[in-house]
């Protein structure tokens, strides 16, 4: 985790620390939070205490660990129902997954990073590691690249500034020099492929979800393993994938919630 100091005052600092705690994905001790916090020990403790007092975090006195508070859980549940494509898109994901018999991912983008919103895996499908809420880079994922490709120039430039170009596999784009030509190709062809760019052995085909005014609001992918299929094999999923993405986009044509950024 990067120790970046926010410029949004006490509220910004508290929210930044809350995000760090939740990002662990488990209960955490103060020493663990302090290790990733950009603030001094006393400030970190004060902010955690404030978050606990406000119900955004809870402190377990027996185990001496912090966990998400019930107020945060309630806010997250309401936000999920109001601001996520998940509830709207889930029935379509389930139909697509049953049709292709592979795992289907739904993703959105926040500050240049992919946020996995929902996934459906049929009994016979390949079980992926991605879970709702997980964040991944955009430059090396099918769902990320297809959203980048269909963004307008201003939003794409801002999202590209957020990419670190970390090389996860030998196939990962390491700079805009190789990524930008592929984004142009993706926009022309309408789909993106993950060619083992984030995880070796994992491939996917992804399509954009376009809302009102054809603005990209998310993306959809069919994901599998190279032990099961090849890139040529997953090309057959294109018609069903694009049809489903269009259906979701149609349902979300007047969607008033956050778009990919």
């Amino acid at each position: 985790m990067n120790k970046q100091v926010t410029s949004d005052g006490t509220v910004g600092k508290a929210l930044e620390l809350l995000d760090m705690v939740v990002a662990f994905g488990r209960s955490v001790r103060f020493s663990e939070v302090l290790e990733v916090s950009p603030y001094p020990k006393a400030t970190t403790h004060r902010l955690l205490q404030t978050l606990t007092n406000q119900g955004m975090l809870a402190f377990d006195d027996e185990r001496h660990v912090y966990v998400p508070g019930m107020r945060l859980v309630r806010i997250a549940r309401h936000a999920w129902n109001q601001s996520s494509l998940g509830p709207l898109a889930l029935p379509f994901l389930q139909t697509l997954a049953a049709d292709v018999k592979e795992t289907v991912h739904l993703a959105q983008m926040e500050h240049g990073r992919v946020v996995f919103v929902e996934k459906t895996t049929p009994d016979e499908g390949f079980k992926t590691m991605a879970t709702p809420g997980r964040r991944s880079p955009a430059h090396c994922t099918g769902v990320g690249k297809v959203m980048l490709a269909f963004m307008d120039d201003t939003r794409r430039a801002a999202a590209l500034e957020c990419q670190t170009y970390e090389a996860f596999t030998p196939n990962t784009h390491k700079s805009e020099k190789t990524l930008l030509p592929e984004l142009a190709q993706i926009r022309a062809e309408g789909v993106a492929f993950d060619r083992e760019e984030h995880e070796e052995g994992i491939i996917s085909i992804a399509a954009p979800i376009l809302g009102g005014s054809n603005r990209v609001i998310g993306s959809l992918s069919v994901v599998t393993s190279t032990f099961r299929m090849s890139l040529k094999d997953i090309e057959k999923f294109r018609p069903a994938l694009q049809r489903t993405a269009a259906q979701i986009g149609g349902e979300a044509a007047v969607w008033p919630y956050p778009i990919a950024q």
Side-chain angles (χ1 to χ4, degrees):
M1 299 182 186
N2 295 327
K3 295 190 175 186
Q4 298 177 341
V5 178
T6 182
S7 59
D8 294 326
T10 301
V11 173
K13 292 176 182 178
L15 290 175
E16 183 181 19
L17 207 60
L18 178 63
D19 193 40
M20 290 178 180
V21 172
V22 174
F24 278 94
R26 56 175 173 79
S27 57
V28 293
R29 294 182 176 275
F30 176 75
S31 59
E32 294 178 291
V33 180
L34 185 60
E35 186 176 338
V36 299
S37 172
Y39 309 112
K41 182 176 180 179
T43 303
T44 298
H45 186 271
R46 176 173 55 81
L47 292 171
L48 288 174
Q49 188 62 51
T50 298
L51 290 167
T52 302
N53 292 341
Q54 292 298 316
M56 302 300 281
L57 291 176
F59 184 72
D60 186 323
D61 291 314
E62 293 185 359
R63 296 187 296 150
H64 300 287
V65 293
Y66 291 92
V67 296
M70 289 308 300
R71 184 180 184 184
L72 177 60
V73 173
R74 288 195 302 271
I75 292 173
R77 180 168 62 85
H78 290 305
W80 175 264
N81 289 332
Q82 297 177 50
S83 302
S84 166
L85 270 175
L88 179 151
L90 184 57
F92 298 100
L93 266 66
Q94 292 171 332
T95 299
L96 177 60
D99 183 20
V100 301
K101 297 180 173 55
E102 292 291 346
T103 292
V104 175
H105 286 166
L106 173 69
Q108 292 177 252
M109 193 179 292
E110 181 181 50
H111 304 305
R113 290 185 65 81
V114 168
V115 180
F116 288 96
V117 175
E118 191 60 84
K119 86 170 186 178
T120 300
T121 303
D123 291 339
E124 60 271 66
F126 174 72
K127 309 298 189 292
T128 67
M129 296 296 292
T131 56
R134 179 180 176 182
R135 297 170 183 268
S136 295
H139 73 282
C140 58
T141 54
V143 286
K145 290 189 296 181
V146 82
M147 284 189 280
L148 289 172
F150 280 82
M151 286 179 172
D152 60 52
D153 292 343
T154 300
R155 290 165 60 211
R156 183 187 304 111
L160 288 173
E161 283 291 323
C162 300
Q163 306 309 307
T164 63
Y165 296 102
E166 179 179 354
F168 294 92
T169 78
N171 295 338
T172 305
H173 285 290
K174 300 175 181 61
S175 70
E176 287 189 18
K177 183 177 181 180
T178 58
L179 177 61
L180 290 179
E182 185 182 0
L183 295 184
Q185 181 180 359
I186 290 169
R187 191 174 182 95
E189 296 183 355
V191 296
F193 290 92
D194 179 344
R195 302 175 176 86
E196 299 184 76
E197 295 163 54
H198 193 209
E199 298 179 58
E200 292 190 21
I202 306 300
I203 55 176
S204 71
I205 179 172
I209 299 173
L210 305 178
S213 302
N214 280 327
R215 300 193 77 183
V216 60
I217 57 175
S219 58
L220 196 64
S221 67
V222 177
V223 188
T224 190
S225 163
T226 54
F227 293 105
R228 293 164 62 92
M229 294 186 179
S230 67
L231 285 167
K232 183 177 180 180
D233 292 331
I234 64 174
E235 170 70 31
K236 67 184 179 183
F237 299 140
R238 180 194 295 247
L241 176 68
Q242 291 183 306
R243 181 173 62 251
T244 303
Q247 289 172 333
I248 297 172
E251 289 291 316
V254 291
W255 195 52
Y257 308 121
I259 57 176
Q261 57 180 312

